[in-house]
Amino acid sequence: MLEASGTSTAPRIAPRRTPPTWLVVAIACAGQFLVVLDVSVVNVALPSMRTDLGLSAQGLQWVVNAYAIAFAGFMLLGGRAGDLYGRKRMFLVGLGLFTLASLGGGLAQEGWQLLLARAVQGLGAAVLAPSTLTLLTAAVPEGAARARAIATWTAVGAGGGAAGGLVGGVLVDGLSWRWVLLINVPVGAVVLAGAVLWLTESRGGLRRRLDLPGALLVTAGLATLAYGISQTESEGWAATAALVPLAAGLALLGFFLLVEARTASPLMPLGLLRLRSVASANVAMLVSGSSMFSMWFFMTLYAQNVLGYSPLEAGLALVPSSLAVILGSKAAPRFLPVLGARNVAVLGTLVAAAGFGWQSTMTADGGYLTAIMIPGVLMMLGAGLAATPLASLAISGAAPGDAGLVSGLINTSRTMGGSLGLAVMSTIAASRAGGEDADPVALTDGYALVFRTGAAVLLTAAVLMWAWLPPGRPTSEPKAHNTA
């Protein structure tokens, strides 16, 4: 500041070198992989957790839901915080919180300690995940390179969810259930160090107050709604124990919308939903995600509870599906210039619906090739094809200052649809099978009904996408809109 006189002898500080683009993409994708992996990695460990910590059947469900709901509910807050206070800063805060919560969950001695750790994990993931996409798009030039980077981010995220069963099976069989959480500690530490050294700060928009009441309302609404859905499995849809939390959850979500319409700095500017690309892509992600998310859960149950696979064998059985979702995500950008984003999303959804329909023909003595591998590959190939154009369409419709918010909204739609969809699908399966203690034939009937329902939901989603998504290719650079 004093060098204007020309007499200062203070040494000049060399400007920090810009990190290689591939390194930024790798760090961002590593963060995304961790948060998505932990949505599904605990599935194969649930029986061991129940035995060790004495969890009830409903407690086991909340091992999954505590993470998913905190993840979905605070995602919008995490996205906005990144826009206002810096994407790198929020990446570090979220990853640090996620890593510490993983350590706490892995060392838990009581069921409530595990559930609390999973909820804090979800909060950390909600802060971390939106920054992964916005850091990536800020580092990669617009055009084909950015489309490929987004496809890589989508593939890694999808691969994280797909790899959960395999990773969990290896860790549970080789070590213990605790390592499905403890493994995040060394990995998180390495990614955290890389982020400190190599990521550069970026932010969008003006510094404004965060809408904490909105975040609390949407999270409480989702949690209460999911609890009400879970109650229907044991109490029935007409029972007071289910109707009261269902009504309360919907009321809380209604209050959330009222708060967003009246506050000066809303968590989710409702004007953003007037943008066709943003609204249609997120609704499509929510509807399709309600089926896609349940695939891994019920395929794992079918393999273990009906076909008698071990946790590791069940994870290995789904490796082709894991590869298929990555292949679909990476192939999608090649089809975008030829078919357009809307057509690629519809095509992927129809391919997934065909896989769900095939899977619904499962039997209690099905063979691996026709009962798991081929339908699983179709389901996840379609999921990968559909996710990339939906994400691109949503991002292309937002102003640069809202990029983190839209990124959070995309992840929220997918995770919220998945967690609520899983609760509904679990109720459907239990109503047909009569509970998890049923014989293999009854269990198969319940799982088959889930996949038939999923196929119908995906066909509905395909029609919705065709009618509502904007035709043509997404623009390479987001357009400026006033959504405040």
Side-chain angles (χ1 to χ4, degrees), residues 66-86:
Y67 179 88
I69 291 172
F71 188 18
F74 284 100
M75 192 91 68
L76 296 174
L77 188 72
R80 178 54 83 193
D83 285 337
L84 302 183
Y85 304 124

Side-chain angles (χ1 to χ4, degrees), residues 107-460:
L107 299 178
Q109 300 300 311
E110 300 288 341
W112 68 266
Q113 295 171 350
L114 176 61
L115 297 183
L116 177 61
R118 288 288 287 169
V120 176
Q121 257 194 318
L123 175 60
V127 175
L128 169 62
S131 295
T132 63
L133 182 56
T134 47
L135 283 168
L136 182 149
T137 54
V140 182
E142 60 181 283
R146 180 175 292 179
R148 289 193 298 269
I150 291 176
T152 300
W153 176 86
T154 303
V156 168
L166 175 59
V167 173
V170 170
L171 293 173
V172 172
D173 278 4
L175 297 169
S176 77
W177 69 263
R178 296 182 181 278
W179 279 96
V180 302
L181 299 173
L182 292 176
I183 193 64
N184 293 327
V185 178
V187 176
V190 170
V191 177
L192 199 62
V196 170
L197 291 173
W198 292 108
L199 292 184
T200 56
E201 190 58 277
S202 69
R203 59 168 55 92
L206 302 174
R207 292 182 67 90
R208 295 180 290 177
R209 295 180 62 185
L210 288 177
D211 179 20
L212 185 58
L216 293 175
L217 280 171
V218 71
T219 304
L222 289 174
T224 307
L225 192 61
Y227 175 76
I229 294 173
S230 69
Q231 286 294 95
T232 64
E233 183 175 337
S234 58
E235 305 292 337
W237 285 94
T240 302
L243 291 176
V244 170
L246 286 173
L250 291 174
L252 287 169
L253 293 177
F255 284 132
F256 165 71
L257 295 177
L258 288 176
V259 167
E260 298 309 283
R262 298 171 67 88
T263 187
S265 301
L267 181 66
M268 185 182 70
L270 298 184
L272 196 64
L273 297 181
R274 290 197 290 267
L275 302 175
R276 179 180 175 184
S277 60
V278 176
S280 60
N282 278 279
V283 171
M285 191 78 83
L286 185 146
V287 175
S288 60
S290 66
S291 292
M292 301 291 193
F293 185 83
S294 64
M295 176 268 185
W296 300 109
F297 185 82
F298 288 103
M299 289 289 278
T300 302
L301 291 181
Y302 173 61
Q304 294 186 69
N305 293 344
V306 176
L307 301 183
Y309 289 20
S310 70
L312 178 57
E313 289 170 339
L316 289 171
L318 294 175
V319 166
S321 304
S322 305
L323 298 176
V325 73
I326 296 172
L327 176 63
S329 298
K330 295 296 289 182
R334 299 180 182 273
F335 292 108
L336 290 179
V338 179
L339 301 177
R342 181 181 67 176
N343 292 341
V344 175
V346 171
L347 174 63
T349 304
L350 291 176
V351 171
F356 271 77
W358 186 328
Q359 190 64 55
S360 71
T361 65
M362 62 173 60
T363 62
D365 57 352
Y368 169 69
L369 190 65
T370 57
I372 292 182
M373 193 186 86
I374 296 178
V377 165
L378 287 174
M379 284 185 275
M380 290 299 100
L381 179 65
L385 282 173
T388 297
L390 290 177
S392 297
L393 281 168
I395 290 293
S396 70
D402 286 328
L405 174 61
V406 173
S407 173
L409 188 59
I410 293 168
N411 282 287
T412 297
S413 298
R414 177 167 48 195
T415 308
M416 180 172 64
S419 58
L420 296 180
L422 180 58
V424 173
M425 295 296 188
S426 296
T427 299
I428 291 173
S431 65
R432 174 60 64 92
E436 287 300 313
D437 294 328
D439 62 80
V441 174
L443 288 176
T444 302
D445 288 343
Y447 302 153
L449 180 58
V450 163
F451 284 100
R452 283 196 295 275
T453 304
V457 170
L458 289 173
L459 290 174
T460 301

